[in-house]
Amino acid sequence: MLDQHAAGPRTPGSTTRGETVPTVPPAETAADAVDVSALLERGRTLATPVLRAAVDRLAPPMDTVSAYHFGWIDAEGNPAAGDGGKAVRPALAVLSAEVTGASPETGIPGAVAVELIHNFSLLHDDLMDGDEQRRHRDTVWKVHGPAQAILVGDALFALANEVLLELGTVEAGRATRRLTTATRALIDGQAQDISYEHRDRVSVEECLEMEGNKTGALLACASSIGAVLGGADDRTADVLEKYGHHLGLAFQAVDDLLGIWGDPESTGKQTWSDLRQRKKSLPVVAALAAGGPASDRLGEILAADAKSSDFENFSEEEFAARAALIEEAGGREWTAEEARRQHTIAIEVLDAIDMPDRVRAQFTALADFVVVRKR
């Protein structure tokens, strides 16, 4: 559960329609001193061979369907160099191992397990949400059908636990317990997200709880799992999880901004994608909670949308009008500020444990990257 400092409601403000709202203040960040691209690439490079070996265990056609999802092959089965995602979770997992003085390689099984769980959730989420595009390609359910999306997601879920438990160590058992707890929270968050789509109103507190489950739980696990495999005590692991939890809330707040105002060329999704799915994301919830003419009008429109039989045929202009009302009511600015706030909390909680200065700077740089990204 979120502490009050992390999730206490704040009154949404307002912003000028059309104004560009940055997610972090224009100030020098740790990312200026750390090569974040190299940090992300290290996690990807260390995890990918083990990840591919795990996927190769799957029975046909699940192995090739998985390979398509990860971007290793195209829809015809030819080798491809697809976009494998940002790789924030593997980077955090291998970095967390260094908190204990262990090598980055110690965190590889944790990085792979977290990536498998993350991609299990993506496969199922794309199907449940009806998303036809991910990372600029057709989603698995669109290419291979809903049944394969479900089966492959289930298989990746099972593989994640295998990868950890086959280590056969006490630390692996501890890491698996944290992973399964995070996975249950992630599923809770997805269930909450779907249920909120059918409600007229969702509170800011409910939205933050949902996003803490859906996104924060797995990032929390990624931030600690390498340290656990390296022998960290529970207190150290708990602090790293708290960092990851708040980082996840910042990450999701940025995602929510991109889900409405993101450039499709960067995000790989449709314009106004979250509005098309009636998602009660933070900008929407904050705008509805703000009060005032724009907020009231938005509430009336969204209530009518929920009853509309023609919603899927709405024009670009109709979605743009809804986005403009969200911004006018202050939902965009409030969400950007919430991303900044959660980013600050994530960095501050690291002060509770000792770690090499270099490692601390890299954790901070990854947090900075999360809130300034464009996809």
Side-chain angles (χ1 to χ4, degrees):
M1 180 172 292
L2 303 178
D3 59 67
Q4 191 169 11
H5 177 53
R10 294 174 293 113
T11 302
S14 61
T15 186
T16 303
R17 189 184 307 181
E19 176 187 355
T20 299
V21 181
T23 48
V24 292
E28 184 176 357
T29 66
D32 297 322
V34 173
D35 187 345
V36 177
S37 296
L39 198 57
L40 295 170
E41 186 58 34
R42 180 183 73 163
R44 182 182 290 110
T45 299
L46 289 174
T48 297
V50 182
L51 180 63
R52 296 188 76 142
V55 168
D56 284 345
R57 302 181 197 179
L58 300 180
M62 292 188 295
D63 54 350
T64 55
V65 175
S66 297
Y68 171 79
H69 170 73
F70 282 106
W72 304 330
I73 60 174
D74 63 20
E76 286 72 44
N78 301 310
D83 179 2
K86 294 171 281 293
V88 171
R89 292 165 187 84
L92 287 167
V94 298
L95 177 61
S96 73
E98 295 186 274
V99 172
T100 66
S103 69
E105 288 75 12
T106 301
I108 292 175
V112 171
V114 168
E115 273 298 275
L116 288 167
I117 292 295
H118 174 54
N119 284 279
F120 137 72
S121 73
L122 296 183
L123 283 159
H124 285 192
D125 286 4
D126 285 343
L127 177 57
M128 287 184 277
D129 293 344
D131 282 342
E132 298 184 356
Q133 289 277 307
R134 178 171 293 279
R135 299 167 186 160
H136 306 282
R137 304 197 314 163
D138 286 345
T139 49
V140 164
W141 73 265
K142 186 84 186 302
V143 175
H144 296 283
Q148 284 299 324
I150 294 169
L151 287 170
V152 171
D154 291 346
L156 298 186
F157 177 95
L159 275 178
N161 292 290
E162 279 186 35
V163 166
L164 287 176
L165 290 173
E166 67 189 5
L167 295 174
T169 63
V170 171
E171 289 78 17
R174 292 173 58 217
T176 304
R177 283 194 294 273
R178 287 181 180 264
L179 181 67
T180 53
T181 299
T183 304
R184 180 174 55 78
L186 182 157
I187 295 169
D188 287 347
Q190 175 65 1
Q192 290 169 314
D193 194 17
I194 291 173
S195 71
Y196 292 170
E197 292 173 21
H198 304 287
R199 286 172 48 181
D200 288 342
R201 295 278 175 163
V202 173
S203 71
V204 171
E205 295 91 338
E206 287 176 314
C207 189
L208 286 169
E209 180 185 8
M210 176 271 289
E211 297 193 343
N213 284 331
K214 187 174 178 180
T215 304
L218 197 58
L219 273 169
C221 184
S223 300
S224 66
I225 198 167
V228 172
L229 292 172
D233 59 22
D234 285 340
R235 177 182 173 276
T236 298
D238 288 346
V239 170
L240 291 171
E241 281 202 355
K242 189 173 183 182
Y243 159 87
H245 176 81
H246 291 291
L247 181 64
L249 287 169
F251 187 103
Q252 189 58 53
V254 174
D255 249 20
D256 288 350
L257 291 168
L258 296 174
I260 298 177
W261 295 282
D263 178 5
E265 290 296 318
S266 298
T267 65
K269 294 187 177 183
Q270 286 182 289
T271 54
W272 326 117
S273 60
D274 282 359
L275 297 182
R276 295 177 190 276
Q277 294 172 14
R278 297 188 175 98
K279 284 190 175 294
K280 298 299 188 298
S281 62
L282 272 179
V284 176
V285 171
L288 291 172
S295 177
D296 293 343
R297 178 60 180 148
L298 177 66
E300 293 170 0
I301 290 175
L302 295 183
D305 288 351
K307 301 172 184 176
S308 173
S309 60
D310 197 42
F311 183 80
E312 293 181 357
N313 297 319
F314 280 12
S315 67
E316 291 289 301
E317 290 74 17
E318 288 173 298
F319 286 116
R322 285 151 180 77
L325 281 172
I326 294 167
E327 185 162 1
E328 185 177 338
R332 184 174 183 176
E333 183 180 34
W334 188 94
T335 303
E337 175 56 30
E338 182 66 7
R340 288 191 288 266
R341 194 173 74 93
Q342 296 292 348
H343 163 269
T344 299
I345 296 171
I347 293 171
E348 288 177 347
V349 300
L350 294 175
D351 292 340
I353 55 175
D354 293 327
M355 67 179 75
D357 289 343
R358 172 185 59 83
V359 175
R360 188 182 303 275
Q362 290 174 335
F363 271 117
T364 301
L366 283 171
D368 292 346
F369 166 77
V370 160
V371 297
V372 298
R373 63 196 171 87
K374 296 181 180 179
R375 66 184 183 96

